[in-house]
């Protein structure tokens, strides 16, 4: 059988007719149709095809448990943020979600309200506080707040050779829904760009920078998990985030304070959870 053009595409789509689930068939059929349409649209050459295969091979080869190059690729192509948008349709009162990123680590240290979680990380001290609320503005007591962020040099603890975690912890909100901890003032930093994703960015005339932010993941029974950041107002990279994660509602002021001869910062941001019923899947 000489399959060409649309006949080839339809034959590949039909090859999934016996799929183990309807969803699998739907996803694979659409994937094949879009891949073929893409190759036709750009008139993909064989050289380009082999370059792409080599790129994906190297993306796999550089990946480890802590270096997630495929996640990074999805991030810089905007696929992560597209999926975040599709998966988190919730009321406007709820805090918007953004990209998870590759630097979350299971099993962070437990902190008490007001603890310093910087654990010696370089940077200006920063008091981070707020409430976890529901969409009616009522406090959620006992919500689990996970937080992680980079230091003043733009590195997460997992990117450094350290004995213990820095700027990373989980804590529970009190009866009024408060969370509060000391960390360091976040700075803008480049996503890892010494691998295939870095090549892609440079070839596209793009930069690797992310605007300064603090990561949060908040969970509470009956509520949808919130994965988000709080971004620092005034950061020069807010409009050119390498992973397209910025949302206006997630930008907050980091206020400078002078205490005798010491400088510190503070930021206050309420995290509003939607119930599972309020979240459309
Ligand atoms: C981050 O914010 O930690 C991050 C997100 C996406 C790609 C790289 C880093
Ligand atoms: Fe980050």
């Amino acid at each position: 059988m000489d399959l060409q053009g649309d006949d080839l595409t339809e034959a590949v789509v039909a090859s999934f007719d016996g799929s183990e689930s309807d969803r699998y068939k739907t996803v694979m059929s659409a994937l094949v149709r879009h891949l073929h349409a893409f190759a036709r649209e750009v008139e993909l050459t064989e050289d380009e095809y082999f370059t792409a295969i080599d790129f994906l091979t190297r993306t796999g080869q550089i990946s480890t448990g802590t270096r997630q190059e495929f996640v990074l690729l999805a991030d810089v192509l905007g696929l992560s943020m597209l999926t975040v948008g599709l998966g988190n349709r919730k009321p406007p009162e709820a805090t918007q979600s953004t990209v998870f990123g590759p630097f979350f680590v299971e099993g962070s240290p437990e902190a008490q309200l007001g603890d310093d979680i910087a654990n010696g990380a370089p940077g200006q001290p920063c008091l981070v506080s707020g409430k976890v609320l529901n969409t009616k503005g009522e406090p959620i007591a006992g919500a689990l707040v996970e937080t992680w962020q980079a230091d003043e040099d733009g590195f997460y603890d997992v990117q450094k050779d350290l004995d213990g975690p820095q700027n990373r912890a989980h804590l529970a909100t009190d009866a009024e829904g408060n969370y509060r901890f000391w960390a360091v003032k976040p700075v803008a930093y480049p996503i890892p760009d010494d691998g295939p994703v870095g090549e892609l960015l440079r070839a596209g005339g793009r930069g690797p920078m992310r605007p300064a932010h603090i990561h949060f993941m908040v969970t509470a029974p009956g509520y949808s998990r919130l994965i988000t950041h709080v971004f620092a107002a005034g950061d020069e990279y807010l409009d050119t985030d390498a992973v397209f994660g910025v949302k206006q509602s997630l930008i907050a002021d980091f206020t400078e304070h002078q205490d005798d001869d010491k400088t510190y910062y503070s930021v206050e941001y309420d995290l509003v959870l939607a119930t599972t019923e309020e979240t459309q899947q």
Side-chain angles (χ1 to χ4, degrees):
M1 273 237 288
D2 294 352
L3 289 171
Q4 286 176 23
D6 289 348
D7 288 349
L8 172 65
T9 303
E10 288 314 313
V12 182
V13 168
S15 74
F16 286 98
D17 280 354
S19 292
E20 58 195 18
S21 75
D22 285 349
R23 179 66 183 159
Y24 189 74
K25 185 173 154 182
T26 302
V27 170
M28 291 310 292
S29 304
L31 177 66
V32 169
R33 286 205 176 96
H34 285 273
L35 267 180
H36 286 215
F38 159 74
R40 278 192 200 101
E41 181 183 325
V42 301
E43 298 191 36
L44 192 69
T45 67
E46 283 186 287
D47 272 358
E48 288 164 345
Y49 168 84
F50 285 116
T51 301
I53 295 290
D54 175 60
F55 176 86
L56 292 173
T57 303
R58 291 185 295 111
T59 300
Q61 283 166 340
I62 203 174
S63 295
T64 65
T66 50
R67 172 80 191 239
Q68 302 198 25
E69 196 76 359
F70 273 111
V71 176
L72 218 50
L73 179 59
D75 293 341
V76 301
L77 294 179
L79 181 61
S80 307
M81 279 307 291
L82 182 60
T83 312
V84 165
L86 292 170
N88 292 277
R89 286 179 268 206
K90 49 195 176 183
E93 299 80 28
T95 300
Q96 289 187 285
S97 300
T98 189
V99 61
F100 192 39
F103 297 122
F104 174 75
V105 178
E106 289 284 353
S108 67
E110 182 175 351
Q112 305 303 317
L113 241 61
D115 275 359
D116 180 1
I117 67 164
N119 196 20
Q124 306 260 32
C126 184
L127 179 61
V128 186
S129 67
K131 284 180 185 287
V132 177
L133 304 169
N134 64 20
T135 56
K136 296 188 201 114
E138 297 159 346
I140 303 176
L144 177 66
V145 178
E146 289 264 9
T147 181
W148 64 104
Q149 65 164 90
D151 65 20
E152 183 179 56
D153 301 324
F155 292 116
Y156 285 79
D157 52 1
V158 289
Q159 296 175 289
K160 306 190 283 184
D161 197 14
L162 292 174
D163 289 340
Q166 289 183 333
N167 288 319
R168 178 187 300 283
H170 66 273
L171 66 163
T173 55
D174 68 11
E176 283 84 49
N178 293 300
Y179 73 88
R180 185 167 61 250
F181 57 89
W182 285 89
V184 301
K185 182 172 181 279
V187 298
Y189 66 83
I191 63 169
D193 67 344
D194 55 345
V197 169
E199 290 169 27
L200 180 151
L201 292 175
R202 283 185 289 281
R206 291 174 50 180
M209 296 302 287
R210 295 217 65 205
H213 59 271
I214 301 175
H215 290 257
F216 288 97
M217 177 161 75
V218 188
T219 48
Y223 294 88
S224 294
R225 183 173 69 172
L226 170 66
I227 293 173
T228 198
H229 310 345
V230 174
F231 292 94
D235 190 286
E236 69 174 293
Y237 297 104
L238 284 170
D239 291 330
T240 54
D241 182 3
V243 304
F244 309 97
V246 179
K247 290 178 176 170
Q248 189 63 37
S249 67
L250 301 178
I251 300 173
D253 287 321
F254 284 64
T255 309
E256 186 178 331
H257 306 267
Q258 293 293 341
D259 191 0
D260 294 330
D261 56 348
K262 290 204 186 68
T263 304
Y264 70 94
Y265 290 81
S266 68
V267 59
E268 201 178 333
Y269 193 89
D270 291 343
L271 298 158
V272 182
L273 303 189
T275 62
T276 43
E277 291 79 40
E278 289 170 328
T279 312
Q280 287 172 40
Q281 285 309 322

